[in-house]
Every structure is written in structure tokens, then in C-alpha cells.
Amino acid sequence: MSDAFLSHMRDTLAGIEAEGLMKTERLITSPQGTRVGVDGRELINLCANNYLGLADHPALVEAATEAMRDHGYGMASVRFICGTQDLHRELEQRLAAFLGTQDSILFAACFDANGALFEPLLGPEDAVISDALNHASIIDGIRLCKAKRYRYANSDMADLEAQLKAARADGARHIMIATDGVFSMDGYLAKLPEIRALADQYDALLMVDDCHATGFMGPKGEGTPAHCGVSADLLTGTLGKALGGALGGYIAGPQPVIDLLRQRARPYLFSNALPPAVVAAGLKALDLVEQGDDLRAQLFENSRYWRDGLTEIGFDLLEGEHPIIPVMLYDARKAQAMAQRLYELGVYVSGFFFPVVPKGRARIRTQMNAALTRADLDEALAAFDRAGRDTGVLT
Ligand SMILES: *Cc1c(COP(=O)(O)O)cnc(C)c1O
């Protein structure tokens, strides 16, 4: 490799470092639980997407182990050649039944599901209207399709309507609105009742990426549409968050859409099938979610206790009903200092600052987990109190 190219890489890295934007990774030596081992210490973990505590659940480990024994380790094939086991179809049908759709199709990740969705379904005659804060994978998926693109300011319904009018005026054949169900930096829910009404008024389809909701939002954990009492035309989601936290994604929707995606979706046609252990654990996660009223109740009880505790100590939180609870520090350096002090005090959290959130909106994003005990939360609250004072955030 040429010196010029490598020195260009080094310069870019130096730029990232100089801006204070270098991300580093801590090495966790334990399962992903409410407490994790790092550097020989045990920390309370408040930054995993492990909403229902299934990532280290013995029933999922058992289901995965058993599946490896009777279905092997890897598939060594894409789905349509020789990579579809009985387990894959079982999980697709279970997901569809759970979400109330006709069928679903699995991908290696939701990043791939979102990368797969738009290109086969929409052509140059069509339009896609996307929320400005949508996940990177939706943005990339839309880039790959030939539909005309429109964007509306985050959750701005007047702007969404203006874009729908523009797409109709431009003569769009089909229009698809794409939104995250939950905007994960803030924990804010998409305004699905209003979006659904506008979609109906302008004869548009509604696609919702429900990665931060499936399994725990909605009466039975079906996600944000059920939580809001509306239906989405297409759903995407992940097995990598509440549903066990390993990996895997899906698109759920009407039969002809799923059938066409199986023929045309490039990340499905040209990438390996999920391994049986992951698929079987996904089925077990759905069992636990379907019987999961107690888990969901505990998750929201923990969220309420954590919010109340932080507010009482004097922290400034974003309002909300989701188990993502952002502690606002505004200043990037303060967010980093708080996260570092909390780490020393035995609490694992992550500071978020520009460019992940707007400048001046730095925060520590905390996330609740049904498996956190009252003692864990009290210990974490004491650490937040102390870290807040030590870093001058609380006075
Ligand atoms: C996490 C997430 C994804 C990516 O999911 P993976 O299965 O990890 O690829 C996509 N969209 C949203 C909204 C997410 O939060």
C-alpha cells in the first residue's frame, strides 16, 4: 500500500482525534448483563439495548445450544440455495403472527433489512418521504433506490404534509413515508397517529423501523404502532436489541411484498443465512415476549423509578415514556467527564455528543433493563449523585 494513502488515513484519524470525536471501545469480559466485567471490575451497565434482559438469559443460551446440537453451527449458503432450515421459516411466521402481518423475511441485521427494502419496491416513478432523524440504515437504503426523495424535519407534521403535497404535485405513482418508531438519541416516539392520518389522506404507504420498540412497547410488545393504536404497512426490526440482542433483522408486511423481497432484495440474495443458534434463540425470545407482561411491567417500573430518582437528585432529563432516558449535560466535555467519573464509580454509561446529537445538546443516554434490581438502581443513583457533584454538573 502506498505511503501517500496510509499517510492520508493517519491525517484523517488525527483530525478525528483533534476534534475530540475519537470513539474507543472498552473490552467486556463477561456476558452482556445488568453487570458487566471490564478491566477486572464489575460495572452496572446502563447503556445496552437489552430492554428485557434477554441478552444473557439462560433460556436463550439453552435454546441456542440445543439448536447448535441438532441444526449445526453455520449455513454456508444464502437462503435460496441451501440456507433455509425449518427454523428460519418458523421464525419468519412467528414474527409475522406476533406483529400482525401476513409474513416476514429475515436478514443478517436490520441494517440490511433497511438496505433491502426500498430498492425492489420503489422505482423512479415513486417517492419516498423520510424523517430527517431516521436511522443511518434507512438513509442508506433510500440512497440505493431510484425513487424521488423528500425529507421532513424531525416529527414536523406540517413539513410532512408539505412534502406529501410536493410528491403528489410531482406526479408520484406510489409514495412511501419512512420513519423510526422511536428516535433513539432522545427516546421520543414518532407521531404515528398523525403520520398514519396524513398517509391515508395522501394515499401513501407507511414504513416504520421499530428496532427500539419491538418486544416492549405496545400492550403485548408489538411495538410503536400497537402502542399508538395504528397500523404500519411495513415494519422493520431487529433481533439485536430487546429480542435477545444477538443479531438479525426482518421486514414484516403483506404477502406479495415479502414474496417480491425474497426474489429481489439484494442483502437477502447475496448474503449468508442466519445461523440456527441465533434463529432458535430468536424463537425463544418471542416465547418470552409473548408471556412477557411481567417483564414489560418491570421495565417500565424501573424506568419510572430511575427517572424519578435522577430528577430528585437535580438532573435535567428529556421528557418521555420510553426506557431510553437521556441525562442532558449540553456540553460535550461535561458529558465525557461525567461518563468517565461514573465509570470510576462502577457505572457503565456512554456520553453522546456532536455529531451524533446536535452541538450544545450533549448528554449521557441511559437505558433501562427489566433485569436491573432496585439495589442496582439505588447504587447507580448514588453514583450519578456523586459524579454530578465531582464534575460540577450539580451544584
Ligand atoms: C439498531 C437499529 C438498526 C440496526 O439494527 P441492526 O440489527 O443492529 O443492524 C436499524 N434501525 C434502527 C432504528 C436501530 O435503532
Side-chain angles (χ1 to χ4, degrees), residues 107-222:
F107 292 87
C110 189
F111 205 104
D112 287 325
N114 288 334
L117 186 143
F118 301 96
E119 189 260 340
L121 304 184
L122 301 174
E125 312 86 342
D126 302 318
V128 57
I129 305 182
S130 178
D131 188 290
L133 284 194
N134 276 344
H135 191 264
S137 54
I138 297 181
I139 295 168
D140 286 7
I142 290 172
R143 276 189 194 146
L144 294 171
C145 88
K146 296 209 165 62
K148 192 150 187 232
R149 299 170 210 162
Y150 301 80
R151 197 165 77 141
Y152 62 99
N154 177 231
S155 291
D156 181 333
M157 294 299 105
D159 196 13
L160 172 57
E161 180 159 24
Q163 302 307 318
L164 282 160
K165 281 189 174 140
R168 279 280 162 243
D170 294 343
R173 179 182 58 178
H174 304 301
I175 301 177
M176 187 183 292
I177 301 169
T179 182
D180 283 13
V182 177
F183 296 97
S184 62
M185 290 303 128
D186 301 317
Y188 292 162
L189 273 53
K191 296 176 180 166
L192 291 183
E194 289 100 317
I195 297 174
R196 178 77 262 177
L198 284 168
D200 291 345
Q201 189 182 336
Y202 290 89
D203 189 24
L205 301 161
L206 172 58
M207 173 273 187
V208 177
D209 172 347
D210 232 5
C211 280
H212 279 283
T214 314
F216 58 96
M217 298 301 290
K220 290 282 170 191
E222 314 92 318

Side-chain angles (χ1 to χ4, degrees), residues 80-373:
F80 79 92
I81 299 179
C82 55
T84 300
Q85 288 177 327
D86 49 354
L87 291 174
H88 293 94
R89 276 307 288 155
E90 196 183 333
L91 180 56
E92 286 171 341
Q93 283 159 351
R94 279 285 302 280
L95 278 167
F98 173 65
L99 298 167
T101 62
Q102 287 181 330
D103 202 354
S104 78
I105 174 172
L106 290 169
F107 292 87
C110 189
F111 205 104
D112 287 325
N114 288 334
L117 186 143
F118 301 96
E119 189 260 340
L121 304 184
L122 301 174
E125 312 86 342
D126 302 318
V128 57
I129 305 182
S130 178
D131 188 290
L133 284 194
N134 276 344
H135 191 264
S137 54
I138 297 181
I139 295 168
D140 286 7
I142 290 172
R143 276 189 194 146
L144 294 171
C145 88
K146 296 209 165 62
K148 192 150 187 232
R149 299 170 210 162
Y150 301 80
R151 197 165 77 141
Y152 62 99
N154 177 231
S155 291
D156 181 333
M157 294 299 105
D159 196 13
L160 172 57
E161 180 159 24
Q163 302 307 318
L164 282 160
K165 281 189 174 140
R168 279 280 162 243
D170 294 343
R173 179 182 58 178
H174 304 301
I175 301 177
M176 187 183 292
I177 301 169
T179 182
D180 283 13
V182 177
F183 296 97
S184 62
M185 290 303 128
D186 301 317
Y188 292 162
L189 273 53
K191 296 176 180 166
L192 291 183
E194 289 100 317
I195 297 174
R196 178 77 262 177
L198 284 168
D200 291 345
Q201 189 182 336
Y202 290 89
D203 189 24
L205 301 161
L206 172 58
M207 173 273 187
V208 177
D209 172 347
D210 232 5
C211 280
H212 279 283
T214 314
F216 58 96
M217 298 301 290
K220 290 282 170 191
E222 314 92 318
T224 52
H227 179 84
C228 297
V230 301
S231 72
D233 299 303
L234 289 170
L235 281 167
T236 63
T238 184
L239 304 178
K241 291 183 173 125
L243 301 181
L247 81 173
Y250 59 83
I251 301 172
Q255 197 66 57
V257 177
I258 303 304
D259 289 348
L260 181 61
L261 289 168
R262 249 183 248 288
Q263 301 304 315
R264 293 271 172 82
R266 291 165 68 82
Y268 185 83
L269 295 173
F270 298 106
S271 188
N272 217 37
L274 283 173
V278 166
V279 179
L283 282 163
K284 181 55 73 178
L286 278 181
D287 288 344
L288 296 183
V289 162
E290 284 175 345
Q291 307 151 13
D293 291 348
D294 294 349
L295 279 178
R296 281 184 286 278
Q298 190 62 53
L299 172 62
F300 288 102
E301 170 58 22
N302 284 354
S303 302
R304 189 199 55 75
Y305 188 76
W306 180 243
R307 259 185 189 284
D308 290 353
L310 288 173
T311 304
E312 201 164 301
I313 293 170
F315 285 104
D316 188 4
L317 311 180
L318 292 184
E319 289 297 313
E321 50 186 323
H322 191 274
I324 289 174
I325 299 164
V327 182
M328 298 305 292
L329 284 314
Y330 303 101
D331 177 69
R333 277 173 225 290
K334 271 196 179 150
Q336 289 177 81
M338 262 297 278
Q340 178 56 31
R341 188 71 188 116
L342 284 162
Y343 178 77
E344 292 158 11
L345 295 169
V347 177
Y348 193 178
V349 291
S350 192
F352 286 70
F353 39 88
F354 184 81
V356 180
V357 294
K359 280 200 170 121
R361 302 284 296 164
R363 66 199 65 184
I364 285 175
R365 183 179 75 173
T366 64
Q367 290 169 280
M368 284 295 103
N369 169 347
L372 285 160
T373 63

